[in-house]
Amino acid sequence: MNPNKSQAQAPEAQPGPNPKHGTPRGLVCSPLHGAALRGDATVLEALLAAGGDLFAEAEASAVDGEGETLAHTLMGLHALHVLVAKDIYSEEVYRLLMRRGLRLSSCCLQRRGGEIPGLLLPRLLGNQHATEERLDVLLREEVQLIIRSAGLAHELNEFLEVVSALRRDHDVAYRCASDIDFPIAEPDPESSQSSGRNEEPPTALLFAAQAGRCEAVRLLLYAGADATRSMRRVLAMDDRRMMVLQAQAVQLAVLRSDLVMVEQLLFFDISPDLTCSAKVFDSGGDADQEPLEEWTGLSLLHLVVLSRSFDLVEPLQQMGCRLEAMAQQRLPDGTTTQVTPLHLAVLMEDAKGCTRCIDCGAEVTDTIREAALQRRPLREMFGGSSPIGLQDWVEAILQGAEALQALLEQRTDLNKAFAWPTSGEEAKELLEGKPLSSPATTERLVEAFCGGRTAFEGIRPVHLAVILDQMWALQALLKAGAKLEGFVTEVLLDPMENPKLCGLEMDLALLCVRCASLEMLRDLRDEGLLPDVNYAAALTPDITPPFFPWKVEERTLTDPLWAWEGLAPLHLALLLGRSDVALLLVRLGANLLQPVDHVAIEAPWHYSVTDNCFRGLTPLHLCSLLDQKATASALLGEASGDVLFVFPGEKRAPQYKEMLGAVCRHVWATLDSKKGSDEEEPWLWRDVTPLHLALLYKSYVTAEALIEASTPDTLDILCSCKEPQCQQFRSALHL
């Protein structure tokens, strides 16, 4: 039999083998009705899963007996009506059909016209099994299902109309007909014991408020529901304590952060000064434990703080709630304390709650300030010293958005600078074991920051977000007011006497090159946060890997011998061997011809010091000096082709001939010598092209790549060599 057939096509069901539950004799019905009459929940679920029509209607057109009774005239019966009409009570089947969408309170039809509420059928038919008393127990669940259902307003309104008609015209046994505040659930005996009082069972209004059904609350209030009834509610104050309180509907709405419902309830003449009492227990204690604290006079704003629904603070103020309202805390030793909402936020160590209350005008008394200064997360907010260090920021950024937001809410200094640990083990301990950390990030930062010769100072939270590859954290910090300014300085562990050589001062571009990932550099570019990539540090000691530390006569020198003048991000990327970063910087606009000078800090005391002093090194010169063939080829790939004429003001990449023909000077130069003076800076080689330099420093692999890219004109460029008695001009072929 097809369960989807209409009632006109459905054949009369045959008597079943279970006389206890009756048979479908006398009913024109579907298989769904037959399964319900036999009390077979398994078959019912199978039929519904196969697409059976839950709302299929049956008709009592062939009831046994000759005389016509009410039972003969019933039609439009769904499965629950059929069970009641046949006086069959199977709680399992009833609850199954109700959970699927059928309602006992819905109406069926009479053949001669008119509707009969399903709740009246037991009385009209004189039932012995499916009685009003038994159905009254099921009505609790029906009301809960109606309140939770999607078609809330229409379905609940129909139920309330049926109940009103029953109360007006009939003397029925249903509790909902005599009291709209009838209990729809039994209280938990254990919860009543732990709350220390006989708990009131929840009413429909309380259930709707707790479920967040605002429209249901409105309909129930108009139907006369008592808004002063209360129910037990448990709140977790922290990991160790829970608060048990008796809450009315408006207090439940506050605990749910439901502003619309709060406004609706206050509209029904509920006082904004309403208070409640509560007890605090140990979360892991026994049911019969003594309370740790007792509270009285908890206002709606106290509940806002307890539930951390801080968006309600300002609206509730506008509705008449007071931030100066006092609740009383009583401890087991008899000590009592008057507590405002702000004071309660301090006791809970809730920085966000304190911030919101203060922003809305809460008074900070001496008592509140003293309590706040004793709590580490709130100390700085209330004028104390900052307890937040580098570890707190790293943990917050690597824990995720929620942890970072909690730290930002403490109103700490977002531009405070920190020093990175110099020990690799300390750095690993700082970085590892966090949800957003990775072995690659840990390895990169330990290698960059913990070389054993330098230390990093001036690291701010925005810098941490960059080097930890957390763009979302950088955006959150900037939104909170952090400044994307300031330098991170890489300094020697043993500082030099020369005050000019304090270390390498890195702006954001240099910092990204020094220790950030390529992905972060791209993200900064995409967000428009990357500063000028052609920024050049005026003077910095040479602490880059190719030249520091330096070995002379089997001795490793701990102090740098040279200094860079005009070091730019592109130069630093080449010195660190970060070819991918160098290529990205070029595409971001880095100058392929930007010069940098490499000079001795003091007068050279060894020939190898002089051999590494240069004026006017371009990025391609650095590739030749360090024998970086792949990088040199990549940089040449970013150049434009050689053309005879360039329009004035035309913006284009340097031509091959400009890059290959750029010259530098190999000189005897110090920090104090005059640049460009042949007397103070005697030159050893001048007019040195990248190809010349590659040959002089035996970087033959790079020289081969430069030769392939050269033209006859660039190959014929002559450099000058100063020998003891004469000056010679040499081409690359001569070298």
Side-chain angles (χ1 to χ4, degrees), residues 235-237 253-259 262 299-319 321 323 340-362 378 381 402 405-406 409-411:
L235 288 177
M237 296 188 69
V254 170
L255 295 175
R256 283 186 48 84
S257 305
D258 194 332
L259 180 60
V262 172
S299 69
L300 296 183
L301 284 174
H302 286 97
L303 298 184
V304 166
V305 174
L306 285 169
S307 61
R308 295 174 172 82
S309 309
F310 303 116
D311 291 339
L312 298 186
V313 174
E314 187 173 356
L316 286 179
Q317 269 191 294
Q318 296 172 355
M319 297 177 196
C321 297
L323 277 169
T340 64
L342 175 58
H343 195 174
L344 179 59
V346 170
L347 296 178
M348 295 176 63
E349 297 187 5
D350 194 322
K352 186 175 182 180
C354 293
T355 299
R356 196 61 179 158
C357 290
I358 292 173
D359 289 345
C360 291
L378 307 178
M381 181 187 300
E402 186 175 347
Q405 185 60 35
E409 287 163 359
Q410 296 183 27
R411 293 192 173 185

Side-chain angles (χ1 to χ4, degrees), residues 546-563:
F547 301 100
F548 179 73
W550 192 262
K551 286 187 177 182
V552 176
E553 297 176 351
E554 304 303 324
R555 290 185 300 130
T556 300
L557 305 178
T558 57
D559 293 335
L561 299 177
W562 300 277

Side-chain angles (χ1 to χ4, degrees), residues 70 81 84 104-106 108 115-127 130 132 135 162 165-166 169-172 174:
L70 174 65
H81 291 148
V84 176
L104 286 168
S105 57
S106 61
C108 58
E115 294 182 340
I116 299 178
L119 295 177
L120 268 182
L121 291 178
R123 176 176 296 270
L124 297 177
L125 298 175
N127 285 357
E132 291 181 355
L135 297 186
V162 168
L166 292 177
D169 301 330
H170 303 278
D171 183 18
V172 292
Y174 302 116

Side-chain angles (χ1 to χ4, degrees), residues 7-208:
Q7 65 180 30
Q9 296 173 327
E12 183 176 341
Q14 298 301 317
N18 190 352
K20 178 181 178 181
H21 288 149
T23 71
R25 182 182 293 115
L27 291 173
V28 178
C29 60
S30 72
L32 193 72
H33 299 97
L37 288 169
R38 287 169 172 78
D40 197 331
T42 303
V43 174
L44 264 178
E45 290 184 344
L47 288 171
L48 292 172
D53 184 4
L54 177 68
F55 299 96
E57 296 180 351
E59 180 179 344
S61 59
V63 177
D64 294 339
E66 297 180 358
E68 182 174 318
T69 63
L70 174 65
H72 291 82
T73 65
L74 295 177
M75 56 186 298
L77 304 169
H78 59 56
L80 283 177
H81 291 148
V82 169
L83 289 172
V84 176
K86 297 294 290 182
D87 196 14
I88 297 173
Y89 184 78
S90 171
E91 186 170 330
E92 180 185 9
V93 174
Y94 273 74
R95 292 187 185 278
L96 171 61
L97 293 172
M98 289 167 60
R99 285 194 295 270
R100 291 302 185 98
L102 295 184
R103 300 289 178 254
L104 286 168
S105 57
S106 61
C107 294
C108 58
L109 304 175
Q110 285 185 285
R111 189 176 298 108
R112 297 175 181 176
E115 294 182 340
I116 299 178
L119 295 177
L120 268 182
L121 291 178
R123 176 176 296 270
L124 297 177
L125 298 175
N127 285 357
Q128 299 297 316
H129 302 288
T131 61
E132 291 181 355
E133 289 75 11
R134 285 184 169 178
L135 297 186
D136 185 51
V137 177
L138 297 176
L139 276 181
R140 295 176 176 178
E141 183 169 348
E142 178 162 319
V143 173
Q144 295 180 30
L145 292 170
I146 289 174
I147 289 174
R148 289 197 185 104
S149 64
L152 175 63
H154 174 72
E155 198 170 352
L156 180 60
N157 196 49
E158 286 186 347
F159 176 82
L160 293 175
E161 287 180 355
V162 168
V163 169
S164 177
L166 292 177
R167 180 169 54 249
R168 183 180 63 249
D169 301 330
H170 303 278
D171 183 18
V172 292
Y174 302 116
R175 282 174 290 180
C176 60
S178 58
D179 183 8
I180 191 62
D181 293 309
F182 79 104
I184 64 171
E186 291 294 340
D188 184 359
E190 293 185 2
S191 66
S192 298
Q193 184 179 3
S194 63
S195 64
R197 55 165 290 173
N198 293 326
E199 183 188 351
E200 298 181 32
T203 64
L205 179 64
L206 291 170
F207 184 84

Side-chain angles (χ1 to χ4, degrees), residues 1 43 72 293 318 330 344 392 474 490 531 578 585 647:
M1 186 182 299
V43 174
H72 291 82
E293 305 169 17
Q318 296 172 355
R330 182 181 179 86
L344 179 59
D392 298 292
L474 178 61
E490 183 177 5
R578 304 193 67 180
L585 289 172
F647 289 98

